[in-house]
Amino acid sequence: MATHRFHAADDAALNALYEDIADKDLQPLWELSGLLTPTPNVRAVPHRWLGKELRELGERAGELVPVDRGGDRRVLSLSNPGLGGAPYATATLWGAVQYLGPGETAPAHRHTPAALRFVLDGEGVWTAVDGDPLHMSAGDLILTPSWTWHEHHNPGDLPMTWFDALDLPLVEALDAVFFEPGDGRAAPSANAGLSASERRFGGGPGLLPGGTSAPAPAHSPLLRYRWADTDRALTGRLGEPGSEAARTGHAHVRFADPTSGRDVMPTMRCEMHRYLPGHTAPAERRTGSALIAVFRGAGAVELDGVVESLAPGDLIAVPSWTSVRIRADEPLQLFSVSDAPVLEALGLYRTEAGAG
Ligand code: 1HN
């Protein structure tokens, strides 16, 4: 028998009605509560995972667990304490650290959930996306959009750890998860040069290849955003006399599809923030959730009034409608990924400044 909620009533006839309603897999709205709340009823809680602990546990997994055990990825997922043990960082975002040892390979596969990598430290790994080899080094953002083949290779002598984000919980909620393993053959190995994606779409500011008429994909055709470019953009914003960034000590850039200016992928917005000590920015909250990765620097984040210190490698879950305020003790560089494009597309995006 189906499990259903049975609403009891003192009146015998009403009670019988409720029993029959439940028996037919129906529920009386007038007995239900908590459906329409004044503000979002958010199960995920604000949370910080310490970079130091993530690095240590990744290294121990590297010693004890072969990379090909289950899923071909040595990944520690952020499991939000509010989500009842699900391996999800927020309601819509998967966040994780991935560890790939020297000489190891994570073979190709593809899936409909889109993924991205932000490199917190180190270099030497390359990821092939639909066969195009992308080098990964500290501060780089690498995209593996929905349904693209991707594989990771570490030909160097040192292990590498990076931050992974996926829209998996969202795609799962939409019942749209598909997965396909590769045939086990590796993509041609990378030379140290640029990927095809960067040669075509990363040529220089405002320069796009001429004469392309291919239909635009749903994601950015540029698949690697190099730290040198991000760093220059942030430095430029802070150095611009009279700019908001210079005035507030907070610069931020949005990673965009160079052909359209839209977000890098339909479900995820990526940004890099730099806060200078003494910057002023009020607390703010918004609908939809985000993950923050501390790249460099030191400071603190206040989440719904609770202060957590920030150090390199720390990862933070910011659930929907959580008020956030950042403090920098030294120049603080934060990467963030959020589901904002989804909320915007659906007309559900809201922000409130000065909250909390
Ligand atoms: C995945 O494919 C990767 O390719 C990382 O590196 C994490 C988490 C869930 C599902 C697929 C990767 C993943 C993942």
Side-chain angles (χ1 to χ4, degrees), residues 241-335:
S243 70
E244 195 188 326
R247 211 166 25 80
T248 60
H250 170 211
H252 49 122
V253 290
R254 184 169 60 90
F255 295 93
D257 176 337
T259 66
S260 66
R262 289 200 300 255
D263 286 296
V264 288
M265 297 191 284
T267 52
M268 289 186 279
R269 171 166 300 166
C270 297
E271 294 173 332
M272 196 78 204
H273 294 255
R274 181 176 299 165
Y275 297 87
L276 301 181
H279 88 92
T280 51
E284 197 182 323
R285 62 182 168 187
R286 66 166 196 87
T287 49
S289 60
L291 303 178
I292 297 171
V294 182
F295 179 43
R296 287 175 183 159
V301 60
E302 191 179 318
L303 297 162
D304 276 345
V306 179
V307 178
E308 306 271 15
S309 66
L310 295 179
D314 288 357
L315 302 178
I316 296 105
V318 184
S320 185
W321 216 236
T322 303
S323 103
V324 184
R325 189 178 9 212
I326 305 285
R327 186 190 83 215
D329 295 331
E330 49 186 78
L332 185 61
Q333 325 250 20
L334 306 181
F335 171 78

Side-chain angles (χ1 to χ4, degrees), residues 67-68 71-73 98 100 104-111 117 126-132 144 147-153 179-188:
V67 68
D68 55 3
D72 284 333
R73 302 291 190 267
Q98 180 162 173
L100 196 63
E104 287 186 330
T105 286
H109 66 204
R110 63 177 176 173
H111 35 73
R117 337 267 159 211
W126 56 278
T127 286
V129 177
D130 281 340
D132 189 18
T144 53
W147 208 236
T148 53
W149 295 104
H150 53 282
E151 59 193 72
H152 315 304
H153 298 266
F179 173 86
E180 189 181 348
D183 61 11
R185 279 181 300 187

Side-chain angles (χ1 to χ4, degrees), residues 262-263 265-267 269 339-349:
R262 289 200 300 255
D263 286 296
M265 297 191 284
T267 52
R269 171 166 300 166
D339 56 10
V342 179
L343 282 289
E344 284 181 353
L346 301 180
L348 298 171
Y349 190 80

